[in-house]
Amino acid sequence: MLDIKVIRENVQWAKDKLASRGVQATEIDEVIALDEQRRALIVKTEELRKKRNTASEAIAIAKRNKKDATEQIAAMKNVGTQIKTLDSELATVKEKVNYILVRLPNFPDDSAPVGPDESFSREERQWATPREFDFEPLAHWDIGEKLGILDFERAAKVAGSRFVYYKGAGARLERAVYNFMLDQHAQEGYEEMITPYLVNNESMFGTGQFPKFTEDVYTMTNEGEPMTLIPTAEVPLTNFYRDEILDGAQLPIYFTALSPAFRSEAGSAGRDTRGLIRMHQFNKVEMVKFTKPEESFKELEKMTADAENILKALKLPYHVITLATGDASFTSAKTYDIEVWLPAQNTYREISSCSDCTDFQARRAQIRYRDEDGHVNLVHTLNGSGLAVGRTVAAILENYQNADGSVTIPAPLVPYMGGMTKIDVK
RNA sequence: GGAGAGUUGGCAGAGUGGCAAUGCAACGGACUCGAAAUCCGUCGAACCGGCUUAUACCGGCGCGCAGGUUCAAAUCCUGUACUCUCCUCCA
């Protein structure tokens, strides 16, 4: 959520910033007009409340002195109702302000390329050259099925499309990959967490998925209480400190967690229908940081590097791009996407997305810290995948495939595979 | 699932309708070479608004949350969340 004061005091700036994210200027005018109404009503009610407080005190004194206060009480009789009327008006206006405010995206950072879609994104760097194959590389779903380690058909029978069974060495590989990632991040100072996989609406609001993106997730009911299957561990990790004031000396705080991520993929029918790329349920190792405002962009660079280190260790070619203003997520001020090379698709595909959400989520979730002077400020929150596990497995299968159909296990994963160096055709 | 108790400041803790006690901690000062102890003083988070160069000043709000009753609610009424104890069940 944006700070209405910032919008109010920098109207044109706010309009320009948000225009690059597809927000109409009229929406800003509207929210400012409503905010003015809101403040005018606050002044009115507060004047009445002050009047009531003064009168109440006089009545209390009169009663204490056993004097008659009937007249004063009668005089105050309708003040209470006036306050109530104004209060309900105020509540309505507040709701209107909020309706717009909670649906406005974060201000993009100046360093993000301006543009409406991914064609405006900027490549920052490339790492490693894609391998030259002396045979036609197979897609990971074909490799997985030939090796008997991925079963999409039975998953479709049991659950539906966009689900998968990992079998045998495949399941072991998935587990090896996320254990390796968690161990790496633990060494980089992230505290490992296991989180709830179902969260309440307040949490979904706190990280910015709700109220705008309800159709992207699976929601169910527990005794009438709506619960959502997490679309990313960012939700439970960031909401960990919701409604809390942290000690500034503890910052920055780093968390990491493996979790399944559940996504309805509404509107993506026909895209990536095969393989592990786009699933309703997939594992992801997530990184989340809470930082002081002045440190968040520096921490974004570090977090992106932490994600890149996994790919470097696994020797998977990738490049890093900065998303264009119109392409970045709702909550993000700046996002780096890391895309891994998939030989069979002959292209880079997203495997991580690292975002600095500045104070946008912190304001929604009310996550603050007390600095050395005792002042309370909003923290900055960051999140990034480190990495999407299923897509990493897909990248390993494709980049490490051999002419005989086998797949070599990347060296750092061998200990996690119980010494296995290769997955052979059975 | 059943029964009971609780939720007030950074912490402890009083308060059954009329300005939210008190203690500890914290902060400022005195004493001291310095510190501790002692003494004096300040301090009710966070939030919102007004006036602002301002973190100054003024006001509102504020006793888990949301409603209600009342001239007036921490206090009375209704609903609700969470925590704890006991019983029951359970991986």
Side-chain angles (χ1 to χ4, degrees):
Chain A
M1 192 159 61
L2 299 175
D3 185 354
I4 185 71
K5 283 181 199 159
V6 170
I7 299 176
R8 191 196 297 155
E9 284 158 21
N10 310 278
V11 182
Q12 196 50 50
W13 176 87
K15 283 181 182 175
D16 292 343
K17 276 280 173 191
L18 295 179
S20 77
R21 309 207 59 173
V23 176
Q24 301 291 321
T26 51
E27 246 184 297
I28 307 302
D29 291 329
E30 199 183 335
V31 80
I32 284 176
L34 286 165
D35 178 54
E36 261 167 46
Q37 276 185 45
R38 180 182 69 92
R39 285 182 295 145
L41 282 167
I42 286 173
V43 171
K44 276 195 204 169
T45 59
E46 288 192 353
E47 273 169 8
L48 285 174
R49 274 181 221 276
K50 189 180 178 187
K51 188 173 160 191
R52 183 176 70 182
N53 288 346
T54 316
S56 284
E57 200 178 333
I59 292 168
I61 289 168
K63 290 236 172 183
R64 210 174 295 137
N65 296 334
K66 305 270 193 275
K67 283 186 187 146
D68 183 58
T70 328
E71 216 170 284
Q72 294 165 73
I73 288 172
M76 292 312 292
K77 198 114 194 169
N78 67 347
V79 172
T81 35
Q82 280 180 52
I83 290 173
K84 245 170 229 180
T85 311
L86 284 173
D87 264 352
S88 70
E89 257 181 76
L90 180 59
T92 311
V93 173
K94 269 184 184 170
E95 248 172 66
K96 286 181 182 169
V97 171
N98 236 13
Y99 185 91
I100 298 176
L101 213 52
V102 301
R103 285 169 175 76
L104 292 175
N106 200 359
F107 293 126
D109 185 62
D110 286 334
S111 63
V114 177
D117 56 52
E118 70 253 32
S119 66
F120 290 84
S121 64
R122 179 177 66 222
E123 184 176 75
E124 302 293 343
R125 54 191 170 271
Q126 267 189 39
W127 186 85
T129 318
R131 163 186 166 195
E132 297 282 339
F133 285 86
D134 48 15
F135 60 95
E136 190 62 35
L138 295 177
H140 66 271
W141 53 87
D142 289 330
I143 299 167
E145 278 175 12
K146 281 194 174 159
L147 295 177
I149 59 173
L150 296 177
D151 191 333
F152 292 96
E153 254 180 61
R154 289 198 176 89
K157 172 182 74 181
V158 173
S161 66
R162 300 199 189 283
F163 286 93
V164 68
Y165 282 95
Y166 291 80
K167 270 185 81 205
R172 183 71 190 254
L173 179 59
E174 174 94 358
R175 178 156 63 91
V177 165
Y178 61 64
N179 282 339
F180 170 67
M181 290 177 181
L182 288 169
D183 286 350
Q184 283 283 116
H185 295 321
Q187 279 180 30
E188 288 152 351
Y190 293 82
E191 186 168 18
E192 183 176 347
M193 307 277 271
I194 296 176
T195 75
Y197 299 149
L198 284 165
V199 297
N200 58 29
N201 283 353
E202 288 75 19
S203 298
M204 291 298 283
F205 178 83
T207 29
Q209 285 80 14
F210 283 2
K212 248 190 135 172
F213 306 103
T214 47
E215 67 286 349
D216 297 340
V217 295
Y218 293 103
T219 298
M220 60 189 72
T221 299
N222 178 35
E223 293 175 355
E225 184 72 14
M227 301 289 289
T228 298
L229 276 164
I230 57 170
T232 159
E234 168 198 344
V235 178
L237 287 179
T238 303
N239 278 283
F240 184 79
Y241 285 126
R242 175 152 53 82
D243 296 323
E244 292 191 33
I245 298 174
L246 308 173
D247 176 4
Q250 298 176 324
L251 299 174
I253 294 170
Y254 292 11
F255 288 154
T256 187
L258 162 76
S259 85
F262 300 92
R263 302 192 180 176
S264 70
E265 294 299 339
S268 59
R271 284 163 64 197
D272 304 309
T273 49
R274 304 197 66 187
L276 294 169
I277 299 301
R278 195 171 298 278
M279 311 296 285
H280 288 311
Q281 176 195 323
F282 62 95
N283 286 320
K284 182 159 58 69
V285 171
E286 184 74 2
M287 304 174 283
V288 157
K289 292 185 178 185
F290 305 84
T291 77
K292 291 183 181 176
E294 62 272 20
E295 288 171 350
S296 73
F297 285 101
K298 180 189 83 190
E299 291 290 346
L300 176 64
E301 299 300 322
K302 273 179 75 181
M303 176 183 271
T304 309
D306 293 337
E308 287 176 62
N309 281 337
I310 302 288
L311 290 171
K312 284 179 180 166
L314 297 176
K315 296 198 162 54
L316 292 169
Y318 68 87
H319 74 166
V320 178
I321 59 176
T322 306
L323 294 189
T325 51
D327 197 28
S329 76
F330 180 68
T331 55
S332 165
K334 185 176 188 180
T335 298
Y336 291 120
D337 268 12
I338 302 174
E339 298 184 324
V340 71
W341 182 255
L342 290 185
Q345 296 193 11
N346 198 39
T347 187
Y348 288 105
R349 291 302 305 260
E350 179 188 339
I351 197 165
S352 172
S353 191
C354 299
S355 298
D356 184 350
C357 299
T358 57
D359 63 10
F360 189 86
Q361 292 180 323
R363 184 170 296 105
R364 288 177 161 247
Q366 287 296 296
I367 306 170
R368 293 167 291 177
Y369 74 99
R370 200 178 298 275
D371 65 22
E372 309 82 58
D373 307 328
H375 294 129
V376 173
N377 306 301
L378 294 166
V379 301
H380 278 195
T381 59
L382 295 86
N383 63 79
S385 8
L387 311 160
V389 179
R391 288 185 180 185
T392 305
V393 168
I396 290 169
L397 294 181
E398 292 197 11
N399 283 281
Y400 281 82
Q401 62 182 298
N402 303 310
D404 65 0
S406 66
V407 171
T408 303
I409 303 296
L413 297 183
V414 170
Y416 291 90
M417 292 294 286
M420 186 190 292
T421 56
K422 211 159 102 178
I423 304 176
D424 279 308
V425 187
K426 280 182 187 167

